[in-house]
Amino acid sequence: MGVVVRRASVEDAWELTRLRRLLLKNFQEIHDDLWEHACKDTFEQALADQDGMIQAFVVDAGDFPGKLAACSVGMIQQRLPGPDNHSGLIGYIQSVSTDPDYRRRGYARAAVEATLEWLDSCGVPKTELTASSV
């Protein structure tokens, strides 16, 4: 059976924030927890709008209800059209993160693929992703 990915809901906001914290800890020391409340609030607001420009895709940690194993966040931004992008829409994939207990199972890849499918279904012709070796 393949990896089951679903679109995140408002109820996933804290877990998405937790996974983002895990990701950011790979790049910097975090001494301030106040950003987490702003991040959770941003997720709640964005995910409340099923047609919004920010959506997240997640894999549940099956053994712990309410816990996420992995996620990917997609964002759509309107820019000015150009010769290589007539709509001016551009997608960004960020906050791709996997809980350490669930790594090496293809969960993040599946979440990114679902994010790309969503961006494609929204007519986004170009997507950017910055990845790290961590």
Side-chain angles (χ1 to χ4, degrees):
M1 184 169 127
V3 178
V4 176
V5 179
R6 65 175 175 82
R7 190 182 287 207
S9 67
V10 171
E11 291 77 22
D12 296 313
W14 270 122
E15 271 296 288
L16 286 163
T17 301
R18 179 185 70 84
L19 289 174
R20 183 159 173 75
R21 174 185 259 282
L22 289 173
L23 173 72
L24 295 175
K25 281 174 50 176
N26 289 317
F27 306 106
Q28 64 191 42
E29 287 188 37
I30 300 175
H31 302 287
D32 172 20
D33 294 338
L34 296 177
W35 71 272
E36 291 178 326
H37 293 280
C39 187
K40 183 216 39 120
D41 293 347
T42 299
F43 275 128
E44 285 179 343
Q45 183 178 4
L47 298 175
D49 182 358
Q50 287 286 312
D51 297 321
M53 302 297 249
I54 301 174
Q55 297 297 322
F57 295 84
V58 299
V59 175
D60 290 305
D63 45 352
F64 296 100
K67 182 177 180 181
L68 299 179
C71 69
S72 171
V73 178
M75 305 175 77
I76 301 172
Q77 183 180 59
Q78 179 66 61
R79 292 189 178 171
L80 294 174
D84 65 338
N85 185 347
H86 294 183
S87 70
L89 294 176
I90 188 160
Y92 293 95
I93 295 179
Q94 67 177 65
S95 216
V96 177
S97 182
T98 305
D99 184 289
D101 293 338
Y102 298 91
R103 291 190 176 148
R104 298 287 191 225
R105 300 181 193 185
Y107 292 171
R109 174 188 290 269
V112 167
E113 288 173 355
T115 307
L116 287 168
E117 289 172 12
W118 169 70
L119 290 166
D120 188 52
S121 74
C122 292
V124 176
K126 191 174 188 177
T127 299
E128 295 178 359
L129 165 67
T130 302
S132 70
S133 60
V134 180

